[in-house]
Amino acid sequence: MAARVLGARGAAWAGGLLRRAAPCSLLPRLRTWTSSSNRSREDSWLKSLFVRKVDPRKDAHSNLLAKKETSNLYKLQFHNVKPECLEAYNKICQEVLPKIHEDKHYPCTLVGTWNTWYGEQDQAVHLWRYEGGYPALTEVMNKLRENKEFLEFRKARSDMLLSRKNQLLLEFSFWNEPVPRSGPNIYELRSYQLRPGTMIEWGNYWARAIRFRQDGNEAVGGFFSQIGQLYMVHHLWAYRDLQTREDIRNAAWHKHGWEELVYYTVPLIQEMESRIMIPLKTSPLQ
C-alpha cells in the first residue's frame, strides 16, 4: 500500500513539474511527439494508395488486376538444356519458332526468347502471347499437333533437355505492353513468389511504383501467374548493359516514394530471383 501511495505521489509530482516547466502551447506537442513522426510517414503513403485502390473482396484477382481491353494470355517457358547441347538447341529454336510467330494461322506471338547469362546456367527462356486467351492457346496447341516440322522439332529438342516447366500468365493492367524493341539490350527477369493472399496489395503498390521506373524506357512487361506456380509475379526489364542497370536502379532511390514501395512490398515476398538474359538473334525483343 505504501509503495502505491508513493508511486501515485511521484507521478503527480512529475506531472506537475512538467506542466510548470513547459509552456502550455508545447504540451500537446510533447504528448504526440512519440507517435506523430511514424504516423505521418505511414499516412502520407497510405493516402496515396487510394489513387489506384482495388477491393479484393469483389472479384477474382485476374479480373481486378489484368488489362480489360485485351484478352491476351502469356506462356512463360523455362528449359534447362544439357550444357553440351545449348548451341544446337538455340539453332533449332531459331529455325522453327519464328515460323510459328509469323504464320497468321496461329493466333500467337513470340514476345521474346533468351538464354540466361547470370542466374541458372544453360537455360533458355521463351515468352509467348496468345491473342484471344485460353481458346487461342487451345487452337495453337491443336494445330501444332498436326505440324510435322514442329513435331520433329519437339522430338529433337527432348534429347537436349534436362528439365522444363512453364506458367500461364496475365499482364498487369498498369504495366507497359511488351512490344518489339531494337538492341542491343540485356534483359532482367525478376521473379517474386508472393505470400498467398497478397497479390492485390502488390498490385496496389506497383500501380504507383511503376511511374518511378519509366525514365529510361526500361520497363518491358509485368505479369502474374494463373496456372503453374501460383502467386508468382514476373517483372521484365531491358537495359543497355549491366552498368546502366546499376545506374537506373540506384537513381530510383532518389525519387520520393520509392523507399516506401520497398518498405511495404518486401513483407509480401516469400522468395525472389533475378535472371540476366541475352536475346537470341531471332527474338523480337533485342
Side-chain angles (χ1 to χ4, degrees), residues 141-153:
M141 294 299 101
N142 289 336
K143 288 181 176 179
L144 288 178
R145 291 191 185 99
E146 306 298 325
N147 186 324
K148 292 184 179 180
E149 184 180 17
F150 181 77
L151 294 177
E152 292 174 0
F153 159 76

Side-chain angles (χ1 to χ4, degrees), residues 154-192:
R154 285 193 63 180
K155 184 177 179 180
R157 184 188 69 183
S158 65
D159 294 331
M160 303 177 185
L161 297 181
L162 293 171
S163 65
R164 61 193 179 104
K165 68 176 182 178
N166 57 28
Q167 297 174 7
L168 294 181
L169 316 169
L170 295 176
E171 57 186 326
F172 283 111
S173 61
F174 46 83
W175 262 82
N176 304 31
E177 182 80 20
V179 296
R181 63 171 69 197
S182 57
N185 294 295
I186 63 171
Y187 289 81
E188 181 176 20
L189 182 65
R190 295 180 69 87
S191 301
Y192 304 88

